[in-house]
Amino acid sequence: MKKIIIGIAITVGLLIVVGGGVALFIQSMLPEKEERIAFRNDDIIKQIDQQLEGIDIEKIKTKAPFIEQKTVREIQENIAKNDISYEELVAYYLINIKEYDQSKDGNNAVSEINPNAIKEAKFFDQMSEDLPFKGIPVLVKENINTNDMPTSSGTDALKDFIPETNAPVVEELKSNGAIILGKTNLSELSYWLSEKAPSGYSAKKGQTHNPFNPVELSPSGSSAGSAVSMSTDLATVSLGTETLGSIVSPAAVNSVVGFKPSRDKISGEGVVPITLSLDTVGVITKTVEDALDTYNAASNQKIEIELQKNAIKGKKIGLLPGEKNFTKSLSRILTQMGAEVVELKEIDTSKIDTQFIMMNDFEKDFNNYLESNNAPIKSLKELISYNKEDSESRIKYGQSLLEKSLAFSDNDDTKVEEIIKKANEQLDKVMTDNNLHAIVFQDNSGVVLTATSGAPEITVPFGQNDTQPIGATFSGRLGDDAAILNIAYSFEQHTKLRQIPNQ
């Protein structure tokens, strides 16, 4: 959920020139600067060491050419050729997590480890049956229920809470053969705790860092850990969730692919919510091909398409305004690929009140999650009281959004439906009036319209500017998932601008 930060940034740009008083006021609204804070690293390292006991670590490291930054299909091919085993695959990622993520000054992306990951990998090494995602290690954002690891959504109150059942999306992955390798850190409660908290911070695990410039460059969020885990190769693929930019934003700034499918394409049951009206489970991967394959392993609504390198040719694509250099460069490259580019004017989203939707829904949907999953706390009110008992460690940056949600009394579900309908109508009008196959924008700059409407979004790495990686994010109408994936794949194959951080 990134709307608050976007709004503050715009406000800064408009008002900072007024004077020192305004500057100080704006500074007080901005998130705090990141710090090197990491909790429970020793617990994770201990779980990894227990599973690696008796395994030749140096031998595993020699398998890097068959695993490092490889796609699902490449790994499956290498396993089929007996270049690697499932046990070696899982061990490789566990070593990476221990040495690069959970070490001193690591990026702190992983929050839990499956204690049976190696055991499951050995099982797949002995199993002759073929499955679509057999033995593929997946990291899952820690707001998605797993029955063998805690699901805390980053809170201290739920730090040891293990739900009785897996979320349906986890069950779907496991039925297709996936190994749930562990969980990833997130902006606590999907960035619905405090406007002051840096993205990627939770009371349970601390601060996740962007590997391209730790501490100085935000990992963005709320699916910070999932994006960083892909950038730094801690698993083959990962799951994230999005309310308003929480997949595409961290994917873009960590130079990986983030795919938020049309709403309800992947079951959202068993996920700690902000608002069931907007929340969507999606995937964060290293390539568009992996995004498609992971989606199909996670959803019972398959997308049966053959990705085509020249799918973008002849397509009419609406380009939303972004940074001048970005817009100019993207327009030129799309044209070179054979697309027809329509430079759109800024879309007025002032009537798409996403803040109202989240305020309207949070307490109701959060309380329902707690009750239906038999969580140790039973209500938003109880969570707020619990946090106040040790505010220094449980709510380092406050809990203003929780308190505002509890105090909110202007609930109107009909208004929520009208806002979402307005977003759909507005997006459809842009697409129809310009006869577009897709729209594209920088990073998460267009998500107020696309995420609210429930439309698919996929961000593809588009190199790096002076300070950070950037992404080109494609979207279309609700249900246009296959077409948007194909356009994104074509763009990726023609550009290949993903950046790999130094470790």
Side-chain angles (χ1 to χ4, degrees):
M1 197 286 296
K2 299 298 297 173
K3 178 172 183 276
I4 294 170
I5 292 177
I6 294 168
I8 292 172
I10 292 170
T11 307
V12 171
L14 293 174
L15 297 182
I16 199 86
V17 296
V18 174
V22 171
L24 289 172
F25 169 72
I26 295 300
Q27 185 63 39
S28 72
M29 295 169 64
L30 289 168
E32 298 282 351
K33 183 177 172 58
E34 286 182 25
E35 299 177 54
R36 285 284 189 186
I37 303 173
F39 308 126
R40 296 185 149 203
N41 293 39
D42 289 344
D43 293 341
I44 290 177
I45 290 172
K46 182 179 179 180
Q47 285 190 327
I48 291 173
D49 285 342
Q50 287 173 345
Q51 296 191 68
L52 293 178
E53 188 174 351
I55 292 176
D56 186 337
I57 303 300
E58 294 308 312
K59 181 184 176 183
I60 296 298
K61 290 182 178 181
T62 67
K63 299 291 184 176
F66 305 108
I67 303 172
E68 186 177 6
Q69 298 291 346
K70 298 299 184 186
T71 67
V72 171
R73 298 183 195 186
E74 288 170 339
I75 284 173
Q76 289 173 331
E77 183 179 337
N78 290 337
I79 287 174
K81 293 189 297 186
N82 293 318
D83 290 327
I84 52 171
S85 66
Y86 291 111
E87 180 183 358
E88 289 169 335
L89 176 65
V90 169
Y92 176 86
Y93 289 131
L94 290 177
I95 293 166
N96 270 5
I97 292 168
K98 175 184 175 179
E99 294 187 353
Y100 299 115
D101 190 65
Q102 296 298 302
S103 58
K104 184 178 183 297
D105 292 340
N107 295 310
N108 200 36
V110 174
S111 57
E112 292 287 344
I113 289 293
N114 176 359
N116 297 308
I118 289 287
K119 182 179 178 180
E120 291 177 29
K122 289 180 177 180
F123 172 79
F124 284 121
D125 278 326
Q126 298 301 316
M127 175 181 164
S128 59
E129 181 186 357
D130 197 20
L131 294 168
F133 236 53
K134 181 180 177 181
I136 296 298
V138 182
L139 283 169
V140 175
K141 186 177 178 181
E142 206 186 310
N143 62 342
I144 300 174
N145 284 0
T146 48
N147 65 7
D148 53 1
M149 289 174 280
T151 300
S152 68
S153 200
T155 65
D156 183 88
L158 299 175
K159 65 181 181 294
D160 298 316
F161 166 57
I162 300 179
E164 294 177 4
T165 58
N166 289 322
V169 64
V170 172
E171 281 298 319
E172 192 73 25
L173 281 166
K174 289 174 73 71
S175 72
N176 283 304
I179 296 173
I180 308 303
L181 184 63
K183 309 290 276 284
T184 56
N185 195 27
L186 69 162
S187 307
E188 188 168 338
L189 290 169
S190 297
Y191 209 83
W192 198 250
L193 176 68
S194 167
E195 299 100 325
K196 296 292 291 181
S199 283
Y201 179 85
S202 73
K204 173 178 174 173
K205 193 62 182 76
Q207 180 68 54
T208 296
H209 300 292
N210 189 312
F212 287 92
N213 191 1
V215 180
E216 299 302 321
L217 177 61
S218 172
S220 194
S222 62
S223 304
S226 295
V228 171
S229 75
M230 291 297 93
S231 186
T232 55
D233 204 28
L234 305 182
T236 311
V237 297
S238 72
L239 290 188
T241 65
E242 176 164 320
T243 305
L244 198 70
S246 285
I247 287 175
V248 297
S249 180
V253 80
N254 285 283
S255 202
V256 290
V257 171
F259 174 47
K260 182 199 79 69
S262 291
R263 194 172 299 133
D264 298 329
K265 286 281 190 178
I266 297 178
S267 172
E269 183 183 342
V271 179
V272 184
I274 293 180
T275 160
L276 297 182
S277 300
L278 301 182
D279 293 347
T280 305
V281 177
V283 304
I284 300 181
T285 60
K286 299 156 195 164
T287 68
V288 175
E289 179 187 85
D290 274 355
L292 172 61
D293 290 346
T294 308
Y295 166 84
N296 279 333
S299 174
N300 59 13
Q301 300 181 54
K302 309 301 182 193
I303 299 175
E304 304 290 352
I305 57 168
E306 182 179 342
L307 296 172
Q308 299 173 337
K309 181 176 180 178
N310 292 316
I312 205 165
K313 187 175 182 179
K315 298 298 189 294
K316 198 171 183 181
I317 299 184
L319 174 57
L320 288 172
E323 294 175 0
K324 185 177 179 181
N325 289 340
F326 171 89
T327 302
K328 183 178 179 181
S329 178
L330 183 57
S331 179
R332 175 178 52 82
I333 289 174
L334 288 170
T335 302
Q336 289 173 351
M337 293 177 190
E340 182 182 348
V341 178
V342 178
E343 295 199 7
L344 302 172
K345 295 180 179 179
E346 193 73 47
I347 298 173
D348 180 10
T349 58
S350 59
K351 294 183 179 179
I352 302 176
D353 192 350
T354 53
Q355 190 81 352
F356 177 86
I357 295 175
M358 291 182 278
M359 284 291 178
N360 184 82
D361 290 359
F362 179 70
E363 182 181 12
K364 171 188 63 179
D365 292 345
F366 183 64
N367 286 355
N368 181 64
Y369 170 86
L370 296 172
E371 181 180 352
S372 61
N373 288 277
N374 195 27
I377 56 167
K378 305 303 179 186
S379 68
L380 172 60
K381 184 176 182 180
E382 186 178 341
L383 174 62
I384 291 171
S385 297
Y386 172 86
N387 285 339
K388 287 179 178 178
E389 291 172 6
D390 185 2
S391 58
E392 187 173 340
S393 64
R394 295 174 184 173
I395 44 172
K396 175 179 171 63
Y397 302 103
Q399 54 181 346
S400 55
L401 291 171
L402 299 188
E403 291 166 344
K404 289 175 183 177
S405 296
L406 186 65
F408 187 80
S409 59
D410 296 328
N411 299 78
D412 187 343
D413 291 346
T414 300
K415 183 177 178 179
V416 168
E417 293 173 3
E418 289 172 349
I419 293 168
I420 294 171
K421 182 181 178 183
K422 173 69 176 175
N424 268 293
E425 290 173 347
Q426 202 165 350
L427 178 58
D428 186 68
K429 180 174 172 56
V430 171
M431 299 287 291
T432 301
D433 288 355
N434 295 282
N435 195 26
L436 301 176
H437 294 95
I439 61 172
V440 64
F441 47 86
Q442 183 174 348
D443 300 342
N444 64 326
S445 59
V447 298
V448 172
L449 182 63
T450 57
T452 308
S453 69
E457 306 160 351
I458 182 164
T459 194
V460 179
F462 191 52
Q464 194 165 344
N465 62 19
D466 292 339
T467 59
Q468 65 187 56
I470 52 177
T473 302
F474 295 87
S475 185
R477 292 183 177 88
L478 183 67
D480 278 354
D481 301 64
I484 297 305
L485 277 163
N486 229 336
I487 287 171
Y489 175 78
S490 180
F491 178 81
E492 173 195 54
Q493 293 304 301
H494 282 283
T495 54
K496 295 190 176 180
L497 289 172
R498 186 181 165 215
Q499 309 293 296
I500 306 295
N502 295 321
Q503 294 218 69

